[in-house]
Amino acid sequence: GLEQDLAGRHVVVSAGGTREPLDPVRFLGNRSSGKQGYALAATAVARGARVTLLSANVELPAPAGADVVRVSTALQLREAALKAAVDADVVVMAAAVADFRPAEYAGGKIKKVDGVDPAPVALVRNPDILAELSAQRQRGGQLVVGFAAETDDVLANGRAKLTRKGCDLLVVNEVGESRGFGLDTNAAVVLSADGTEVHIADGPKEDLADAVWDQVAARLP
Ligand code: C5P
């Protein structure tokens, strides 16, 4: 990425993981650190892009030169993504979005009562932001990129997910207890709707980010 091959382009990257509140002090969340999304934002800036970083609960320094929009829940991320995507050339959904949120939000802290079993937590589905952005492109020629973390049958599951989501590229990581989340390195396969399959060896998240931008840049109109 020495070339400014994203100059004049607006790219939107989501990073981190959503938190779905149960009450004012508790939430359902996930272990996403935001490192991969932040690396995507920083490398896109380095390649000349205007970058909007939709940051969900990330404790990392903001990448220099990116416009950071902070969100917390999946619904907030959806709003921010649809808005930012209106004039975007590329949207990369690297955030871990909760599939479900609590059906009800308790305005006060949920209390334990001696001798009383806790009430089950009812969940409702969150919208699939990636599928929505893919189905309703916010701009002609826009590229939509998703991420997927798979623990088994990585390629077959990734290919099925690419089709289901309707995105142009899907970056599939193999995750497990010692891979992916929270670490500084990542190995992945970038699958494309045009049928290509690019394997990226385990390495720094910046290298994976640059490899993703290479695939994006090659497909921009
Ligand atoms: O279905 P799965 O969660 O494995 O898909 C992961 C991809 O879909 C990621 O790019 C993630 O950002 C996106 N996603 C989304 N909205 C959801 C769930 C996932 O945009 N509700």
Side-chain angles (χ1 to χ4, degrees):
L2 291 176
E3 282 175 81
Q4 297 282 293
D5 57 357
L6 297 176
R9 305 292 190 170
H10 178 206
V11 312
V12 175
V13 177
S14 71
T18 68
R19 291 181 178 177
E20 311 299 325
L22 282 154
D23 71 17
V25 296
R26 304 186 180 95
F27 57 83
L28 299 180
N30 60 69
R31 295 186 183 282
S32 178
S33 66
K35 285 176 184 169
Q36 186 62 65
Y38 272 48
L40 282 156
T43 50
V45 169
R47 295 167 76 140
R50 173 162 81 84
V51 178
T52 302
L53 176 59
L54 310 176
S55 181
N57 310 298
V58 180
E59 291 176 40
L60 292 170
D67 286 329
V68 182
V69 177
R70 294 194 186 272
V71 296
S72 187
T73 68
L75 293 179
Q76 290 167 356
L77 177 56
R78 175 181 174 275
E79 288 293 319
L82 289 172
K83 185 171 171 223
V86 165
D87 69 347
D89 296 282
V90 190
V91 183
V92 182
M93 285 294 300
V97 184
D99 293 315
F100 309 104
R101 66 179 181 278
E104 280 175 46
Y105 174 74
K109 187 180 167 192
I110 299 166
K111 293 195 165 55
K112 59 181 171 294
V113 179
D114 281 344
V116 178
D117 286 338
V121 176
L123 301 175
V124 293
R125 265 197 114 93
N126 272 328
D128 190 318
I129 304 164
L130 176 63
E132 191 173 345
L133 287 167
S134 300
Q136 306 173 19
R137 306 281 166 147
Q138 304 293 296
R139 173 181 170 167
Q142 183 175 76
L143 289 174
V144 179
V145 183
F147 270 70
E150 302 288 346
T151 54
D152 52 292
D153 291 331
V154 172
L155 289 178
N157 285 328
R159 188 53 71 188
K161 188 165 289 184
L162 173 77
T163 306
R164 199 161 64 239
K165 301 274 190 177
C167 51
D168 300 290
L169 296 170
L170 189 73
V171 185
V172 189
N173 313 111
E174 194 172 345
V175 292
E177 293 204 345
S178 65
R179 305 192 66 169
F181 281 6
L183 301 181
D184 292 320
T185 64
N186 238 347
V189 185
V190 183
L191 303 177
S192 74
D194 41 82
T196 65
E197 181 181 307
V198 176
H199 291 255
I200 296 147
D202 195 37
K205 290 187 173 180
E206 285 72 20
D207 290 4
L208 175 56
D210 268 319
V212 171
W213 293 127
D214 288 345
Q215 295 302 309
V216 165
R219 289 173 173 81
L220 281 169

